[in-house]
Amino acid sequence: MSYRRALLLLRIPFSVYLMPVYWFGLSALRQPLSVSRAVGVFVVLHLLAYPASNGYNSYYDRDEGSIGGLKHPPKVSQELLHLVYLFDALAVISAVLLSPLFGLMVTVYLLVSKAYSYEGIRLKKYPLLSTAVVVVFQGAFTFLMTQVGVGATESALLDKTNLLLATVSSLFLCGSYPLTQVYQHQEDARRGDQTLSLRLGIRGTFVFAAVGLLAGAALLAYTLWLRGESRHLLIFLVATGPVVALFGQWAYAVWRNPAAADFEHTMRMNQVSSLCMSLAFALMLWW
């Protein structure tokens, strides 16, 4: 029973919210893709590496309130660490089988994610440093890691427009990351974690998010224009229309009543933005 409860804290369904970077990385490549390798990369990242990171974060946070993907998280136990290390090992071994470089990148990602949470280092305590780490490693680094995993050539990886799109992924993360913290101010303050959202305040978090997301969209538009893929921009704008509408409604509600910055609204925003952006990038890939 303890392992079953611990498995919940890996929050495997929550990993779906990180899918846009995966689809974005695939859609940016201008070379034939192996379906089997793409599936393998998805399994390594979304079913093994991300859950391991989620579980490790939960072990050291020991949240008493709602967390991403779980409104009522169970108590952490030693069994959770056992599962984390098992998923770590499976992620690295599986990644190495796909590509040694991919295996190295997955290892680096897992180590950085542990430094983010581990009590002896706990990058999470530092608002600017933790934001930079998340923005780089869950954004551009994961974008390029996905491409390495599916066998991208060196020229494709280092292409100017590909690196610009990797930067776009980090800008989108920069905008959305503080929103994932906006309902946890009391919990973070209790632990002494000065998150970026806590420092910005509730309204400041929404302003920061809007600026980051607009910057990402502007660079995306410019890069797609450079690549002669303006049709892809139209796909993105149409597919993410619901995200813009929902964000605007939520921001308006929060401006009138800060209590609207709660778990339910945050999860709804995560769900809609993840699914819409994944759809946009998947359609770009298919096109």
Side-chain angles (χ1 to χ4, degrees):
M1 184 62 72
S2 294
Y3 280 106
R4 186 178 300 175
R5 286 199 301 268
L7 188 62
L8 290 175
L9 287 169
L10 297 184
R11 292 177 281 156
I12 295 175
F14 188 70
S15 299
V16 171
Y17 299 149
L18 297 175
M19 275 202 311
V21 178
Y22 167 84
W23 289 112
F24 193 19
L26 296 186
S27 70
L29 281 177
R30 290 172 158 179
Q31 67 177 69
L33 293 175
S34 163
V35 174
S36 60
R37 287 182 70 100
V39 171
V41 171
F42 182 89
V43 170
V44 168
L45 295 181
H46 293 84
L47 301 185
L48 297 173
Y50 293 157
S53 297
N54 293 338
Y56 197 80
N57 186 59
S58 292
Y59 183 81
Y60 281 102
D61 279 3
R62 300 180 182 273
D63 292 286
E64 297 176 2
S66 302
I67 56 176
L70 286 176
K71 187 169 185 178
H72 303 292
K75 297 287 186 182
V76 302
S77 64
Q78 200 65 29
E79 286 81 3
L80 176 58
L81 268 190
H82 300 165
L83 288 179
V84 165
Y85 295 142
L86 173 62
F87 275 58
D88 280 343
L90 290 174
V92 172
I93 292 170
S94 301
V96 169
L97 291 176
L98 285 170
S99 156
L101 179 56
F102 181 52
L104 175 61
M105 295 180 80
V106 168
T107 302
V108 170
Y109 179 91
L110 290 171
L111 290 174
V112 170
S113 72
K114 285 172 174 49
Y116 179 83
S117 306
Y118 176 60
E119 59 187 2
I121 303 174
R122 201 155 179 85
L123 300 177
K124 191 175 183 178
K125 291 190 299 186
Y126 311 102
L128 296 181
L129 181 58
S130 63
T131 300
V133 167
V134 170
V135 163
V136 170
F137 282 91
Q138 287 192 355
F141 186 85
T142 297
F143 179 97
L144 297 172
M145 179 167 60
T146 297
Q147 294 180 334
V148 168
V150 297
T153 63
E154 183 178 349
S155 59
L157 286 170
L158 299 180
D159 177 77
K160 174 187 173 182
T161 59
N162 190 61
L163 295 177
L164 284 175
L165 291 176
T167 304
V168 169
S169 68
S170 281
L171 286 173
F172 282 151
L173 256 296
C174 189
S176 60
Y177 173 63
L179 287 177
T180 66
Q181 305 169 327
V182 75
Y183 68 95
Q184 289 185 305
H185 287 187
Q186 186 175 353
E187 190 84 26
D188 289 330
R190 178 184 63 81
R191 285 194 304 264
D193 292 336
Q194 292 295 313
T195 63
L196 181 62
S197 180
L198 186 59
R199 294 288 292 272
L200 290 170
I202 292 177
R203 288 186 175 184
T205 296
F206 280 81
V207 172
F208 184 91
V211 171
L213 295 172
L214 283 173
L219 184 57
L220 175 65
Y222 171 69
T223 307
L224 292 178
W225 175 76
L226 283 180
R227 290 164 65 110
E229 296 174 349
S230 54
R231 192 174 297 175
H232 284 183
L233 179 61
L234 179 61
I235 291 173
F236 179 82
L237 294 175
V238 171
T240 58
V243 181
V244 176
L246 182 61
F247 178 80
Q249 292 173 0
W250 188 23
Y252 178 72
V254 167
W255 229 256
R256 297 183 65 188
N257 179 13
D262 56 16
F263 174 81
E264 286 76 12
H265 283 89
T266 303
M267 289 305 102
R268 188 180 305 129
M269 188 73 226
N270 280 347
Q271 291 165 358
V272 173
S273 62
S274 173
L275 293 176
C276 287
M277 293 185 76
S278 291
L279 175 63
F281 296 133
L283 287 174
M284 291 181 191
L285 174 63
W286 173 77
W287 202 284

